[in-house]
Amino acid sequence: MSLPQIPSSLPQQYDYFQQIELSQEIRDLISTLPAEEGLISGHLHQYQGFWYPTMRIPRILATQKHFQAHDTDILLATTPKSGTTWLKAILFALVKRVHYHPHPQNIDHPLLTNNSHPLVPFLENKQQSGENQIPDANSYAPPRLFSTHLPLAHLPQSVKDSACKVVYLCRNPKDIVVSLWHFTNRVRHKSLETNSLEKVFQYFCRGMNGYGPFWDHVLGYWKESLERPETVFFVKYEEMKEKPGLHLRRLAEFLGCPFSPEEEAQGVVDNVLKLCSFETLSNLDVNKNGRLSTGVENSVYFRQGKAGDWKNYLTAEMVEQLDRITEEKLQGSGLKF
Ligand code: PAP
């Protein structure tokens, strides 16, 4: 069974439930969870400390139940708007470079004709209640590449029990708020009123954005990366922007596929970065005009691609409020933005 598209009339959540087959057990569970209006459509529900769009919950439960990790899998974990689209492209270009020569002029490279989202599928996107399926596990040779927005605590047990490597990308929360604000208004149904920046900001500060609270999400992976550095690689969007070559080489080492002296001499590092740059990807026909299978336009994943755009939008009061929350939440962790 495949999920129907979100109906354009946006019925209330429980009407929507009636249109898809959810077990009574899952309906009962969802009906007990705290609920809030979502920033895009429908509702968010708070499940074990994190806020999820309602229809994600059955998929998440099914993912936790059915997904079988392989020791060779690579999992990219992010909070939304942290640069997922970019890191998916980088991981794909890096790990599959034996099969696909990474170069912006290599017309056969899958990244030139596909958005990076389907190339590195989300664990929790394809899973549905009652289905014993795993996401289309890359029809390539191992390693399989997956991504997730799930917090560490909600990853399937098989991921935690395996030697699967996790790459965690996070981003300055001030840029996430601005990116999220633009994104919600791009994908929000046209019949709904536009979200104000103030509204998105206040939701974010209260932790009530999809997969939030942001700070709990980041801290889970941060602590794990300190305890198990051989398993969890932690990197910030801003660091990738500032020293992309350095962090790409670190990532390659971490994943057990370091660049050889020959590759270094041939400029493969620069070619991966050029291929995956905002300029290259955002100007591709597939990313200007294509859509994901969900119907979402690929172009919504490319806006500015810069660090520090928050300075153009957030007021001094907003900056003060968000900085204060971030400082309080991350206090003593050693993590700073
Ligand atoms: P998702 O988690 O919903 O998939 P995600 O890809 O994390 O979204 O967020 C999109 C952000 O990544 C956008 O940021 P902005 O709104 O501040 O501009 C988008 O522009 C940025 N982005 C996408 N591709 C790249 C890239 N190749 N390099 C740098 N940033 C990028």
Side-chain angles (χ1 to χ4, degrees):
M1 184 191 82
S2 63
L3 261 189
Q5 297 291 311
I6 297 290
S8 54
S9 57
L10 292 173
Q12 289 299 301
Q13 54 170 323
Y14 294 109
D15 295 343
Y16 184 45
F17 281 176
Q18 283 161 18
Q19 298 175 30
I20 61 171
E21 291 169 31
L22 287 183
S23 70
Q24 194 56 45
E25 194 187 350
I26 289 180
R27 284 165 193 265
D28 291 346
L29 167 73
I30 292 176
S31 66
T32 63
L33 302 176
E36 286 286 343
E37 181 202 341
L39 287 169
I40 295 175
S41 67
H43 289 76
L44 295 176
H45 280 84
Q46 192 186 34
Y47 175 65
Q48 296 180 351
F50 288 90
W51 289 94
Y52 295 114
T54 313
M55 293 318 303
R56 290 273 177 237
I57 292 175
R59 301 184 196 185
I60 290 166
L61 295 175
T63 303
Q64 291 173 335
K65 192 165 162 193
H66 299 300
F67 180 73
Q68 288 304 319
H70 297 176
D71 285 342
T72 50
D73 287 347
I74 296 170
L75 180 62
L76 170 66
T78 56
T79 58
K81 306 300 135 211
S82 297
T84 319
T85 313
W86 184 26
L87 247 285
K88 281 189 180 195
I90 287 189
L91 276 176
F92 185 92
L94 174 67
V95 170
K96 304 295 176 189
R97 69 188 192 271
V98 180
H99 308 288
Y100 304 109
H101 180 53
H103 196 287
Q105 308 307 330
N106 173 11
I107 54 167
D108 292 328
H109 200 289
L111 277 167
L112 296 179
T113 46
N114 296 272
N115 179 270
S116 64
H117 281 286
L119 295 176
V120 184
F122 279 105
L123 281 186
E124 61 273 20
N125 263 13
K126 295 241 167 154
Q127 301 287 325
Q128 290 170 223
S129 169
E131 275 193 1
N132 189 1
Q133 264 187 3
I134 60 163
D136 298 334
N138 316 251
S139 41
Y140 324 97
R144 303 185 304 175
L145 287 174
F146 293 114
S147 60
T148 187
H149 282 326
L150 289 176
L152 184 84
H154 289 179
L155 289 181
Q157 191 57 39
S158 76
V159 171
K160 298 177 193 168
D161 291 343
S162 75
C164 161
K165 298 220 174 195
V166 177
V167 175
Y168 187 75
L169 173 73
C170 64
R171 189 179 189 187
N172 187 316
K174 289 177 283 200
D175 273 334
I176 292 185
V177 169
V178 172
S179 185
L180 184 66
W181 173 53
H182 283 102
F183 180 81
T184 61
N185 285 327
R186 282 282 313 270
V187 297
R188 217 166 134 78
H189 196 266
K190 298 283 173 280
S191 65
L192 300 173
E193 76 183 36
T194 306
N195 284 327
S196 67
L197 175 58
E198 179 64 26
K199 176 177 172 179
V200 174
F201 179 81
Q202 291 306 339
Y203 267 62
F204 187 88
C205 287
R206 291 162 63 199
M208 279 167 21
N209 50 297
Y211 304 88
F214 164 82
W215 305 272
D216 297 351
H217 201 289
V218 177
L219 274 179
Y221 285 98
W222 169 248
K223 288 179 184 160
E224 193 74 355
S225 75
L226 298 179
E227 279 166 28
R228 299 170 65 208
E230 68 295 343
T231 309
V232 180
F233 180 91
F234 189 100
V235 68
K236 294 179 187 159
Y237 181 95
E238 294 75 23
E239 295 170 336
M240 283 296 301
K241 274 275 170 195
E242 200 180 342
K243 293 190 175 159
L246 173 76
H247 296 291
L248 179 57
R249 288 184 179 90
R250 282 183 56 227
L251 184 57
E253 293 273 350
F254 168 80
L255 295 174
C257 56
F259 292 98
S260 66
E262 293 75 31
E263 286 182 310
E264 289 284 359
Q266 288 162 8
V268 176
V269 174
D270 282 346
N271 287 337
V272 168
L273 294 172
K274 230 178 275 165
L275 173 66
C276 301
S277 69
F278 185 86
E279 289 63 35
T280 302
L281 297 183
S282 64
N283 283 309
L284 296 172
D285 182 53
V286 65
N287 289 327
K288 286 205 271 195
N289 303 312
R291 286 174 189 268
L292 298 180
S293 59
T294 53
V296 173
E297 294 170 38
N298 292 340
S299 61
V300 304
Y301 295 97
F302 301 92
R303 189 183 63 89
Q304 279 243 333
K306 292 187 178 145
D309 192 35
W310 59 267
K311 293 180 190 129
N312 298 316
Y313 293 94
L314 302 188
T315 63
E317 291 74 31
M318 286 172 162
V319 171
E320 201 268 329
Q321 184 181 345
L322 193 44
D323 280 350
R324 185 166 26 83
I325 296 173
T326 302
E327 211 171 296
E328 278 168 20
K329 299 264 191 185
L330 302 186
Q331 203 176 27
S333 70
L335 178 62
K336 284 195 167 53
F337 285 97

